[in-house]
Amino acid sequence: MEGDVENSVGHNPEWAALSLLKLLKCKYDYKSLSKFTGLPVSTLSRYCTNRTLPRGVKARKLLQTLLPLARAEDVVRESLKLQPNGEVDMTPVLFNPWVLRLISSHVSEAFAGRKVTCVLAADEESLSMATAIGMSLDKKFSLVSRKPLWSEEESVSTVMYLPRLGVREVLWIPKVIMNHRESVLLVFSKVIDEELANAVVSTVERVSAVEGGRTHVSGVFALIAGKESWEKVSVPPAVKKAALIIL
């Protein structure tokens, strides 16, 4: 059981237990957390304020208790805000380090056994999530940019055409990724249009081939996806796609 707990959040149960506790403190008060964990309020307070840390067996037991309370899907759903215009405000998720760590743990499980050497944000909005996932997996990370963030010597630019929308977009991708043999996990904050998602996936592989690299997409992850759009996101049979929340 302890091994399963460690594998679900990484190899540092002390860090994982403290991260989950601080995340849950945003939702529950100390009295509620004390009931859940069996630990005194004073102890939990010292943990949350970094005056002391759970260690060894204590950290593992705390982690076992907290994990059922911190399912990534539930935490993200509760953190999202619906705007008056019907759009979803993802700021409370993408700007919260504790939620990002929980999402990273979920991604680690979802793509366990898949070769991933690089995490690539599909757009600027997804960068904080791709960064958190990359750091959690100890892999390099970058983004597909709509702006020229790098010099011509350091990046590859290409035109992405969306025929149904009648739109052409210029994308920039770092050469260090395209010129090497990378297995890319492509990360989207949301997929509400399958044409855009499919275009980004195919563009990454096409640019790598043109540059003489052997980079390929090994996985596609979306934090939020529309049900119909997600079903139409086309990936090769060997490529796994996973969405945390399907609307």
Side-chain angles (χ1 to χ4, degrees), residues 76-151:
V76 171
R77 283 185 183 276
E78 292 168 1
S79 301
L80 294 173
K81 293 182 179 179
L82 186 64
Q83 302 285 71
N85 60 6
E87 294 186 1
V88 177
D89 179 10
M90 304 182 70
T91 303
V93 173
L94 298 177
F95 285 11
N96 187 317
W98 309 112
V99 177
L100 288 173
R101 287 173 179 173
L102 195 59
I103 293 169
S104 299
S105 297
H106 172 84
V107 172
S108 296
E109 288 187 356
F111 291 89
R114 300 274 171 167
K115 183 178 181 181
V116 174
T117 63
C118 175
V119 182
L120 195 61
D123 51 44
E124 285 81 355
E125 186 181 42
S126 309
L127 183 56
S128 62
M129 184 168 59
T131 300
I133 294 169
M135 294 183 69
S136 175
L137 297 176
D138 196 23
K139 305 298 180 183
K140 66 183 72 173
F141 50 88
S142 190
L143 80 155
V144 177
S145 177
R146 269 70 174 174
K147 301 175 183 178
L149 301 179
W150 309 276
S151 68

Side-chain angles (χ1 to χ4, degrees), residues 24-218:
L24 290 169
K25 181 61 181 67
C26 298
K27 179 180 179 181
Y28 301 104
D29 58 22
Y30 281 124
K31 187 175 181 180
S32 297
L33 288 172
S34 179
K35 288 182 178 179
F36 292 142
T37 63
L39 296 175
V41 168
S42 58
T43 299
L44 296 172
S45 175
R46 288 196 298 271
Y47 287 164
C48 286
T49 55
N50 294 326
R51 283 180 287 172
T52 185
L53 300 175
R55 303 281 187 187
V57 175
K58 289 183 178 180
R60 289 180 172 82
K61 287 183 177 180
L62 179 58
L63 197 51
Q64 289 176 351
T65 305
L66 295 178
L67 277 173
L69 303 174
R71 291 180 65 247
E73 180 179 351
D74 295 339
V75 172
V76 171
R77 283 185 183 276
E78 292 168 1
S79 301
L80 294 173
K81 293 182 179 179
L82 186 64
Q83 302 285 71
N85 60 6
E87 294 186 1
V88 177
D89 179 10
M90 304 182 70
T91 303
V93 173
L94 298 177
F95 285 11
N96 187 317
W98 309 112
V99 177
L100 288 173
R101 287 173 179 173
L102 195 59
I103 293 169
S104 299
S105 297
H106 172 84
V107 172
S108 296
E109 288 187 356
F111 291 89
R114 300 274 171 167
K115 183 178 181 181
V116 174
T117 63
C118 175
V119 182
L120 195 61
D123 51 44
E124 285 81 355
E125 186 181 42
S126 309
L127 183 56
S128 62
M129 184 168 59
T131 300
I133 294 169
M135 294 183 69
S136 175
L137 297 176
D138 196 23
K139 305 298 180 183
K140 66 183 72 173
F141 50 88
S142 190
L143 80 155
V144 177
S145 177
R146 269 70 174 174
K147 301 175 183 178
L149 301 179
W150 309 276
S151 68
E152 292 184 5
E153 294 77 20
E154 296 174 324
S155 63
V156 180
S157 62
T158 185
V159 176
M160 178 179 69
Y161 180 50
L162 307 176
R164 183 169 58 81
L165 299 176
V167 173
R168 292 180 183 271
E169 282 194 77
V170 180
L171 303 180
W172 283 265
I173 308 174
K175 279 187 178 180
V176 68
I177 295 173
M178 293 296 99
N179 290 347
H180 293 78
R181 187 172 186 172
E182 302 287 356
S183 298
V184 173
L185 173 60
L186 197 57
V187 174
F188 292 84
S189 57
K190 59 180 177 288
V191 173
I192 56 175
D193 186 289
E194 70 278 1
E195 185 178 28
L196 177 58
N198 285 330
V200 173
V201 173
S202 61
T203 297
V204 170
E205 298 212 348
R206 175 172 55 81
V207 170
S208 178
V210 171
E211 289 297 307
R214 303 176 71 178
T215 290
H216 68 282
V217 176
S218 61

Side-chain angles (χ1 to χ4, degrees), residues 214-235:
R214 303 176 71 178
T215 290
H216 68 282
V217 176
S218 61
V220 178
F221 173 74
L223 185 64
I224 297 175
K227 187 176 186 297
E228 292 185 6
S229 295
W230 189 241
E231 290 174 350
K232 295 177 182 177
V233 172
S234 178
V235 296

